[in-house]
Amino acid sequence: MKAVRYDVSLDQVPVDFFADPDGAWSLEALANISGFELEQGVAVGALTQCFNGHPEGAAVVTLNAKARPYVVIVECEVAAPLPIAQSA
């Protein structure tokens, strides 16, 4: 996972907090890489369009609170598709 921290207000980030980020992730992993504790009330959404070079669908992680210290964009690894078995 690649994570970048931004000190911007949330209204500057194209995010949908009702959407799941693309790729393989867990709430615990996103909170950890972002520097938050789950008990702080972590909010996770997905970018609705590219932002500062991050692809649409990347995770947006912040606190579910009025005073958010920062926003973290996390690019999660996409699982490779399983090969399709050929029948004999």
Side-chain angles (χ1 to χ4, degrees), residues 14-60:
V15 60
D16 179 356
F17 282 104
F18 294 105
D20 286 336
D22 293 341
W25 59 275
S26 69
L27 183 58
E28 294 81 10
L30 290 176
N32 185 272
I33 198 168
S34 300
F36 297 123
E37 297 292 329
L38 288 178
E39 296 79 27
Q40 292 177 288
V42 175
V44 174
L47 287 177
T48 58
Q49 62 187 31
C50 295
F51 175 78
N52 278 5
H54 302 288
E56 178 180 344
V60 178

Side-chain angles (χ1 to χ4, degrees), residues 48-84:
T48 58
Q49 62 187 31
C50 295
F51 175 78
N52 278 5
H54 302 288
E56 178 180 344
V60 178
V61 186
T62 191
L63 293 181
N64 190 15
K66 203 172 226 183
R68 295 175 180 90
Y70 51 84
V71 173
V72 180
I73 309 295
V74 182
E75 296 177 27
C76 303
E77 295 180 22
V78 178
L82 296 174
I84 298 174

